Amino acid sequence: LLYQGSSHRLMTEFLLNEIGRQPMKDQNSNDREGFALVCGLALGIVNLEKGTSTVSGLEDLRIEERLHRYISGRTDGGSEFHGRKEGFDGSVGGSNQGEMDRNSRIYEVNSLNRDITAPGATLALGLMYIKSHNVSIASSLQLPETHFSLDYIRPDLLALRVVSRSLILWNDIEPTSEWIDVQIPSIVKNSLNLMKRAATRAMAMSDVEQMDDDRTNAERDDEVKKEITDFDPQAVRQANAFIITGACFSLGLKYAGSANRAAASAIIERALWFLELRDNKDTVTLTQRPDNSTLITCLCTAAISLAMVMAGTGDLDSFRLFRALRWKCDDGTLYGTHMAFGAAVGLLFLGGGKCTLGSRSEDVAMLIAAFYPHFPVLSSDNQYHLQALRHLYVLAVHERILEAVDVDSNEKVCIPIELSLANSHEPLQAST
């Protein structure tokens, strides 16, 4: 925050090195994922909106290339890369000191653990090039188009890629369900449709009225099963859920505090779909349902996204949805779930209706840090996200209140007003 938007060279180099830092000493090996994520967020904030101009004086750091390596996990041409990192990190002593500092439980040699480095690097790249519409950088965050590459990427990282690409291609975000559908790769859509058709045929075969055509349906079902064995159904379900979640989160970031009804409707539609996956038990629904942990994370993120759009409005439809989402409470409901739904309700009535959220670049950075779509198991769980960052949403809060005051008595009065919005041709009727 102190160096926000400054492209400070020392801080940039330090944070860039810390994202890919190798584990040193046994006592410092915990919470590596959260540490790398914080460094990535900090790198993005230090170089916020400086992607196109950060090259001035920082060309030799090759920031984009190194972040791409953190994302993909490749170390090709890594002699200078590792040399720079080791020279920066290992300057505390000689070779004997390096041997003493080695971690005895984690051994990573000539490779990067992208499960640790990818989240922070992905968000850092998005924040650096936010609203720049740099197609070249956005293409490096492309979603996989084959089942092999889909199995090679952790599902939750797909959501972060969608968010970062949306940050870069900011004006391409549209508040429609069609835009959310466009984010899903064809390989995921086709595989999911194949599984739904297989489930539908299985239900039809169980019906007594279909006995005459049993042989034909059985043959078709065998063909479908053979096709399904070519990919991992659970990977497709998880990828589909996380990509939709990332798109909803992107809508929440762009339309934060705007009370945009189109964006809210698109998010509500997806939240209800997740709710249906959670509660319904029919065959077709179970075919699309990911594991419970993924489903809860997606539900929580969709709720937060809707709350960002409708922040400070006290919208009743959104409030009813949040009540329905948090109604289920059993032994499997974790602390992070309560925290997410509670935060959503709080955002909906932010400042008692007198405050809302901003959508400037610095506001978006704070919202990403505060509502990062990974929720803790316990209140002390900082492994994947530092819980102290949840409070940064206050830096994105803006007071928006219009009060009519009687000039004679200096008391507040209720009068009808007419609001004209920049993106709307029809004025809104309201009262103070």
Side-chain angles (χ1 to χ4, degrees):
L1 294 177
L2 181 63
Y3 292 95
Q4 177 179 314
S6 66
S7 290
H8 191 275
R9 180 182 177 87
L10 178 61
M11 290 295 103
T12 299
E13 185 173 7
F14 171 75
L15 293 169
L16 194 59
N17 287 321
E18 288 298 299
I19 295 176
R21 181 180 181 181
Q22 297 292 324
M24 299 176 64
K25 295 184 179 180
D26 294 349
Q27 63 268 29
N28 294 331
S29 61
N30 296 326
D31 301 335
R32 289 180 61 207
E33 296 87 351
F35 177 76
L37 175 64
V38 169
C39 291
L41 289 171
L43 177 64
I45 293 174
V46 170
N47 295 281
L48 187 65
E49 267 188 311
K50 301 293 184 179
T52 54
S53 59
T54 190
V55 291
S56 56
L58 301 178
E59 297 92 338
D60 58 311
L61 295 182
R62 299 186 298 173
I63 299 176
E64 294 81 3
E65 179 184 345
R66 294 174 66 180
L67 287 177
H68 184 62
R69 287 177 179 173
Y70 287 146
I71 294 171
S72 63
R74 292 186 294 105
T75 57
D76 47 343
S79 57
E80 181 179 353
F81 176 73
H82 284 291
R84 180 185 301 276
K85 176 172 64 62
E86 290 168 3
F88 197 90
D89 291 338
S91 59
V92 292
S95 58
N96 293 333
Q97 182 69 25
E99 290 289 335
M100 294 174 60
D101 287 343
R102 277 187 183 174
N103 192 296
S104 62
R105 296 182 295 174
I106 303 175
Y107 183 60
E108 296 175 359
V109 59
N110 296 329
S111 64
L112 290 170
N113 187 345
R114 68 173 181 178
D115 287 339
I116 292 176
T117 60
T122 302
L123 293 178
L125 201 58
L127 291 174
M128 285 175 56
Y129 285 89
I130 185 172
K131 302 180 182 180
S132 67
H133 285 266
N134 190 313
V135 179
S136 176
I137 296 298
S139 63
S140 66
L141 299 171
Q142 196 72 25
L143 297 180
E145 289 291 345
T146 63
H147 285 296
F148 177 80
S149 55
L150 189 65
D151 292 337
Y152 193 60
I153 300 177
R154 210 173 70 196
D156 62 310
L157 298 181
L158 298 176
L160 298 183
R161 288 195 180 194
V162 172
V163 172
S164 291
R165 287 182 70 246
S166 301
L167 293 179
I168 298 171
L169 306 175
W170 185 259
N171 291 336
D172 292 345
I173 301 177
E174 298 177 0
T176 60
S177 296
E178 289 75 16
W179 180 83
I180 297 178
D181 291 331
V182 169
Q183 308 309 307
I184 306 174
S186 59
I187 190 69
V188 176
K189 287 182 182 178
N190 296 337
S191 301
L192 201 63
N193 290 333
L194 185 62
M195 290 190 293
K196 288 193 289 186
R197 286 199 301 268
T200 304
R201 290 175 185 174
M203 293 177 63
M205 287 180 62
S206 63
D207 195 345
V208 180
E209 297 179 359
Q210 300 294 328
M211 291 298 293
D212 295 336
D213 198 32
D214 181 66
R215 184 175 180 180
T216 304
N217 286 338
E219 292 175 356
R220 292 178 181 175
D221 193 53
D222 289 338
E223 293 177 0
V224 172
K225 288 182 178 178
K226 290 179 181 179
E227 295 179 12
I228 292 180
T229 55
D230 293 339
F231 60 88
D232 182 8
Q234 187 68 348
V236 172
R237 298 187 192 104
Q238 291 176 338
N240 181 63
F242 274 116
I243 291 171
I244 291 175
T245 300
C248 291
F249 195 67
S250 301
L251 286 176
L253 292 174
K254 178 171 183 179
Y255 296 99
S258 66
N260 187 295
R261 287 292 175 182
S265 298
I267 298 175
I268 288 175
E269 179 182 343
R270 302 301 170 157
L272 292 175
W273 179 70
F274 285 130
L275 186 61
E276 180 184 357
L277 292 182
R278 187 189 73 176
D279 296 338
N280 287 7
K281 304 298 181 183
D282 62 272
T283 305
V284 178
T285 301
L286 292 176
T287 303
Q288 307 173 67
R289 179 178 180 176
D291 60 281
N292 191 61
S293 176
T294 297
L295 187 56
I296 295 303
T297 299
C298 294
L299 265 175
C300 294
T301 307
I304 290 289
S305 304
L306 177 60
M308 286 194 291
V309 175
M310 307 302 291
T313 63
D315 182 63
L316 288 180
D317 292 334
S318 302
F319 186 49
R320 292 189 187 101
L321 176 60
F322 296 155
R323 291 181 62 185
L325 292 176
R326 67 181 301 182
W327 182 259
K328 184 179 180 180
C329 184
D330 50 26
D331 294 338
T333 306
L334 303 176
Y335 163 79
T337 307
H338 292 295
M339 182 198 70
F341 293 147
V345 174
L347 286 177
L348 194 62
F349 298 96
L350 189 63
K354 298 180 180 179
C355 300
T356 189
L357 299 175
S359 57
R360 299 176 302 175
S361 297
E362 51 268 32
D363 298 330
V364 171
M366 297 302 108
L367 292 176
I368 291 176
F371 302 123
Y372 177 74
H374 194 291
F375 302 99
V377 177
L378 303 170
S379 58
S380 58
D381 180 12
N382 294 292
Q383 181 176 0
Y384 295 99
H385 181 256
L386 184 62
Q387 295 307 304
L389 298 182
R390 299 287 181 191
H391 301 283
L392 288 181
Y393 78 93
V394 298
L395 298 180
V397 174
H398 299 277
E399 188 174 12
R400 292 181 188 172
I401 179 172
L402 177 64
E403 294 181 337
V405 179
D406 187 277
V407 293
D408 296 326
S409 61
N410 285 333
E411 293 184 357
K412 299 176 185 178
V413 294
C414 182
I415 60 173
I417 60 174
E418 185 176 278
L419 299 177
S420 298
L421 303 180
N423 298 327
S424 178
H425 301 290
E426 297 182 2
L428 300 177
Q429 304 292 333
S431 60
T432 59

